[in-house]
Amino acid sequence: MPRRTDLSDTFCPVGRSAELLGDRAVLLILRDLFFGRRRFEAIATNTGLGPQLVSARLKLMEEQGVVERHAYQERPPRHEYRLTAKGKDLFDVLYAMRNWAERWAYEEGEIVGPAVRYTHRACGADVGTSTVCPGCGEPLRYGDLKGEPSAALKAEQAARAGA
Amino acid sequence: MPRRTDLSDTFCPVGRSAELLGDRAVLLILRDLFFGRRRFEAIATNTGLGPQLVSARLKLMEEQGVVERHAYQERPPRHEYRLTAKGKDLFDVLYAMRNWAERWAYEEGEIVGPAVRYTHRACGADVGTSTVCPGCGEPLRYGDLKGEPSAALKAEQAARAGA
DNA sequence: CTTGTCACTATGATTATCATAGTTACTATC
DNA sequence: GATAGTAACTATGATAATCATAGTGACAAG
């Protein structure tokens, strides 16, 4: 492609977000980071993206300040990637995407129950696909939720990690 | 590129959403639709995307059931694009993107106040960047909010429409 | 009968992405 | 101490998506 138009100087907030988030690879990497995958290989394997793409996107995300590289051992040098505060604040976006997909992206009877079941740590309620806890009424934030992948999703991830 | 991996059959809900939303053009078109731009030319002009891309993405979005084509006149045939219920339900995603950008994507002093100010129709409160109205405590949904673009954003859009 | 508008489609240059293979720097095993 | 393994990448070449620009068809207005 020719260089795509840069949106980082628009005054529109959705445009500015789209510059980073309007990219499949970035979204998938963010998902994995939110699920606790911090290492390059784990992310590359689980997302199914090539190492080159993962490398490029992690660099971009580091530049944008949403992830940080940490060395977790010296010899040989090994790093992991962690969400910064700016990155963790993207939780609402990913959670909204998840909610939308749970409501619209599965065929009738394709899976039993939600693809990932979330419960509110504070009160234990199943939050369904709402942004406010149906049990206690609190707005849901990053860290408040415990996600439990369905059997189908677990199997799929295991298959990618195994093969 | 080689054909990119299809994510529409993953069991991960974020993956399924990313198939549609992990695309700058789709996000920009959705933004314009949410802001009431329904016509092809208006969308192409305001987004800055080429007509070919707009055409391709609107087709995709129609296939996915997030927009519908309506004829608003017979001779000559003219259409407009409207969000379906499935499309309107993406509001939370776009709103979360907006909130994140308002918090993180502007330099100190780059603009005065928010890029787009939202007020809750029901109670008149400025909602800031929250998902629950700070005035009355109600969760914010599509249609509940009135957006007022900043002067800078208005000027930018006028420039694109004029040139 | 020329100009204008709307909603597109066509063309060619450029570049991002994918699959595959290779690299570096170690550790662990035989 | 030679081979295999692991983690985090980089290099290469084929393919396809995107952009800029121009063009089309159907009609309305002047």
Side-chain angles (χ1 to χ4, degrees):
Chain A
M1 327 158 165
R3 67 182 171 291
R4 54 193 204 177
T5 51
D6 183 28
L7 296 174
S8 53
D9 58 345
T10 327
F11 284 110
C12 173
V14 177
R16 292 206 181 190
S17 297
E19 186 66 32
L20 178 67
L21 300 175
D23 183 290
R24 285 155 43 91
V26 168
L27 293 175
L28 295 179
I29 292 170
L30 281 172
R31 173 197 66 185
D32 276 23
L33 289 169
F34 273 112
F35 266 88
R37 278 185 207 92
R38 297 212 246 249
R39 300 193 182 173
F40 189 93
E41 279 296 310
I43 293 170
T45 303
N46 189 256
T47 56
L49 302 168
Q52 199 166 145
L53 229 201
V54 175
S55 172
R57 288 304 184 275
L58 283 171
K59 260 191 201 95
L60 173 68
M61 291 162 77
E62 202 184 347
E63 276 169 30
Q64 300 290 313
V66 301
V67 300
E68 273 174 358
R69 250 167 73 120
H70 282 269
Y72 65 87
Q73 95 182 11
E74 293 289 323
R75 351 210 70 234
R78 292 282 179 271
H79 327 92
E80 59 178 27
Y81 294 87
R82 296 187 196 161
L83 290 165
T84 61
K86 185 176 176 181
K88 288 174 186 167
D89 199 40
L90 284 166
F91 176 77
D92 283 0
V93 178
L94 278 281
Y95 184 62
M97 288 175 61
R98 172 262 172 183
N99 285 339
W100 181 79
E102 292 278 9
R103 287 195 285 259
W104 298 96
Y106 296 87
E107 298 291 324
E108 194 74 36
E110 186 179 355
I111 50 171
V112 180
V116 181
R117 183 181 302 278
Y118 281 98
T119 50
H120 194 205
R121 285 186 202 278
C123 73
D126 183 331
V127 300
T129 60
S130 43
T131 53
V132 170
C133 181
C136 62
E138 285 295 305
L140 301 172
R141 298 177 208 289
Y142 175 63
D144 291 355
L145 298 173
K146 203 175 75 171
E148 180 62 18
S150 62
L153 180 51
K154 276 185 190 168
E156 181 184 287
Q157 293 177 344
R160 276 198 294 262
Chain B
M1 325 162 170
R3 68 181 171 290
R4 53 194 205 177
T5 51
D6 184 28
L7 297 173
S8 53
D9 59 347
T10 326
F11 284 110
C12 173
V14 177
R16 292 206 181 190
S17 297
E19 186 67 33
L20 178 67
L21 300 175
D23 183 291
R24 286 153 44 90
V26 168
L27 293 175
L28 295 179
I29 292 170
L30 282 171
R31 173 197 66 185
D32 276 24
L33 290 168
F34 274 112
F35 265 88
R37 278 184 207 92
R38 298 212 245 249
R39 299 194 183 172
F40 189 94
E41 278 297 310
I43 293 171
T45 302
N46 189 257
T47 56
L49 302 169
Q52 200 168 142
L53 229 200
V54 175
S55 173
R57 288 305 184 275
L58 283 170
K59 258 189 202 96
L60 173 68
M61 292 162 78
E62 201 184 349
E63 278 170 28
Q64 299 291 313
V66 300
V67 300
E68 274 174 358
R69 250 167 73 120
H70 282 269
Y72 65 87
Q73 93 183 9
E74 292 291 323
R75 353 211 70 234
R78 291 282 179 273
H79 327 93
E80 58 178 26
Y81 294 88
R82 295 185 197 164
L83 289 165
T84 60
K86 184 176 176 181
K88 287 175 185 167
D89 199 41
L90 284 166
F91 177 76
D92 283 359
V93 178
L94 278 281
Y95 184 62
M97 287 175 61
R98 172 263 172 185
N99 286 339
W100 180 79
E102 293 277 10
R103 287 195 285 260
W104 298 97
Y106 295 87
E107 297 291 323
E108 193 73 35
E110 187 179 355
I111 50 171
V112 181
V116 181
R117 183 180 302 278
Y118 280 99
T119 50
H120 194 205
R121 286 186 203 278
C123 73
D126 183 331
V127 300
T129 59
S130 43
T131 53
V132 170
C133 180
C136 62
E138 286 294 306
L140 302 172
R141 297 176 209 287
Y142 175 65
D144 291 354
L145 297 174
K146 203 175 77 171
E148 180 62 17
S150 61
L153 179 52
K154 277 187 190 167
E156 181 184 286
Q157 292 178 344
R160 275 198 294 262

